[in-house]
Amino acid sequence: MKIGVIGVGNIGSILVERFLETKPELKLYIFNRSPQKMEPYKELDGIVCCGNAAEVCEKAEIIFFAVKPQDVSALFEQVRVVEFNEKIIVSTMTGISIKVIMEELGTDRVVRIMPNIPGMIGKGVTGICFSPAISKEKRDLVIELLEAIGSTVEVNEKDFAAVTALSGSGPAFVFVIVEALIDIGLKMGLSYDKARELILHTISGSVELLKEKGNHPGEFRHLVTSPSGTTIEGIYSLEREGLRGTIMKTILDTYNRARKINEDIEKSL
Ligand SMILES: NC(=O)C1=CN([C@@H]2O[C@H](COP(=O)(O)OP(=O)(O)OC[C@H]3O[C@@H](n4cnc5c(N)ncnc54)[C@H](O)[C@@H]3O)[C@@H](O)[C@H]2O)C=CC1
Ligand SMILES: O=C(O)[C@@H]1CCC=N1
């Protein structure tokens, strides 16, 4: 199968590298505006560095658009000449609706996805939504392709801003929390390595426990919390400091930003 990737920055390069690693049968066509981003792929088998975005669209059957939202108008201009017909466009672009892509490029086969950075090791989660014209067979094909970066969760397009906030941007918030935990480990006298190991195992173990048992998180929280013990002291502090509210507000601010990007793009086109 012939796959195109336009924009090989953070997300585009994850897609390219995971396709190369897990699906060597694919033929890849890539293009990046700044050609140095294509350098690492130049000599590799199964990959063709194209001269422009339209060439990628001409040659590939499924084409990933992985540019920043502010570059989308220029990209539309560059690929408007292409007859998309049966081709499928898969957009990673934040805030750009399926309708906008369909109208701008005169196609009815568009998939919108919101991947995330753990896709780098095949452990990402991707929110996905299909335009109605895409058959069940082609939907399954795109989902299978995306297994290269992890699992997929089908959502309504109206929920994309929420997906962007929770899982698209989410890893950044997790990394900030991990950094803070490591820092306080240092403050209490642990080495960086020991603090890091304790924290990563605590987080991944807690996540695995929730996944395996399926309980509400509050049930396990309660198990850890002894009367007059250490945990309740921490929980009391956390509630006084408003951690839950801070987390909720963080996600809501991110969600509102995703909606605003969408609104601004729709106005500008
Ligand atoms: N970084 C992340 O964790 C996630 C990003 N996204 C979305 O994916 C899109 C890409 O994000 P990143 O990879 O982080 O951005 P990036 O800036 O790292 O990569 C975009 C690449 O596209 C290239 N480019 C721009 N216009 C082009 C054009 N017309 N033709 C060819 N190449 C072009 C740029 O040179 C750059 O290398 C954005 O819309 C972003 O919102 C979605 C989910 C997660
Ligand atoms: O920060 C951003 O706009 C993108 C969307 C999700 C993750 N990064």
Side-chain angles (χ1 to χ4, degrees):
M1 201 191 330
K2 297 173 179 171
I3 304 296
V5 179
I6 301 175
V8 282
N10 297 314
I11 288 296
S13 67
I14 288 175
L15 287 167
V16 169
E17 276 158 38
R18 292 296 301 168
F19 289 153
L20 285 170
E21 207 175 313
T22 64
K23 299 184 181 288
E25 71 281 7
L26 298 177
K27 180 102 180 151
L28 302 179
Y29 296 88
I30 66 168
F31 175 66
N32 197 83
R33 187 179 53 187
S34 24
Q36 72 271 18
K37 291 254 174 86
M38 292 193 286
E39 275 309 313
Y41 307 111
K42 278 225 157 104
E43 309 297 328
L44 301 181
D45 283 342
I47 190 159
V48 176
C49 297
C50 296
N52 56 60
E55 188 187 339
V56 173
C57 298
E58 299 286 0
K59 291 188 167 148
E61 300 151 278
I62 297 182
I63 307 123
F64 286 82
F65 282 8
V67 309
K68 294 269 193 223
Q70 59 267 31
D71 292 322
V72 70
S73 299
L75 177 59
F76 285 154
E77 282 313 311
Q78 289 151 14
V79 300
R80 222 184 283 286
V81 288
V82 177
E83 296 282 344
F84 283 92
N85 300 322
E86 303 285 302
K87 295 175 190 284
I88 295 177
I89 295 172
V90 184
S91 165
T92 76
M93 301 178 299
T94 301
I96 319 289
S97 67
I98 288 177
K99 182 166 168 270
V100 159
I101 300 173
M102 293 202 307
E103 283 174 4
E104 289 286 327
L105 300 181
T107 170
D108 59 0
R109 290 171 171 76
V110 177
V111 184
R112 185 168 171 193
I113 63 170
M114 177 49 58
N116 71 0
I117 215 89
M120 203 183 277
I121 56 162
K123 295 200 171 172
V125 62
T126 297
I128 189 166
C129 177
F130 300 90
S131 65
I134 301 178
S135 66
K136 165 90 174 76
E137 191 199 346
K138 297 286 185 197
R139 288 173 191 223
D140 290 345
L141 186 68
V142 173
I143 289 173
E144 199 187 316
L145 256 184
L146 290 169
E147 280 170 7
I149 56 169
S151 56
T152 48
V153 175
E154 196 165 344
V155 290
N156 292 323
E157 197 178 16
K158 71 171 181 45
D159 295 325
F160 251 74
V163 175
T164 304
L166 284 174
S167 60
S169 297
F173 310 138
V174 172
F175 298 136
V176 169
I177 292 167
V178 169
E179 262 190 302
L181 291 169
I182 292 177
D183 281 348
I184 201 63
L186 294 173
K187 174 122 176 91
M188 294 184 294
L190 288 169
S191 69
Y192 170 84
D193 289 343
K194 297 250 157 78
R196 187 180 197 273
E197 196 181 339
L198 287 166
I199 288 150
L200 293 188
H201 280 280
T202 300
I203 293 172
S204 61
S206 307
V207 169
E208 287 306 316
L209 182 64
L210 281 174
K211 276 163 75 174
E212 205 172 306
K213 298 288 187 188
N215 297 51
H216 187 281
E219 293 177 59
F220 286 130
R221 203 275 287 165
H222 181 63
L223 281 187
V224 188
T225 313
S226 319
S228 303
T230 57
T231 312
I232 192 60
E233 207 56 42
I235 299 275
Y236 179 48
S237 172
L238 186 150
E239 298 294 5
R240 255 188 356 249
E241 298 293 328
L243 182 81
R244 279 178 208 251
T246 303
I247 290 174
M248 289 179 182
K249 176 77 165 58
T250 301
I251 299 298
L252 209 58
D253 286 347
T254 313
Y255 164 84
N256 286 331
R257 178 66 191 139
R259 287 168 57 106
K260 176 80 168 56
I261 290 174
N262 177 247
E263 236 179 74
D264 290 350
I265 298 264
E266 306 233 318
K267 262 189 233 147
S268 75
L269 289 169

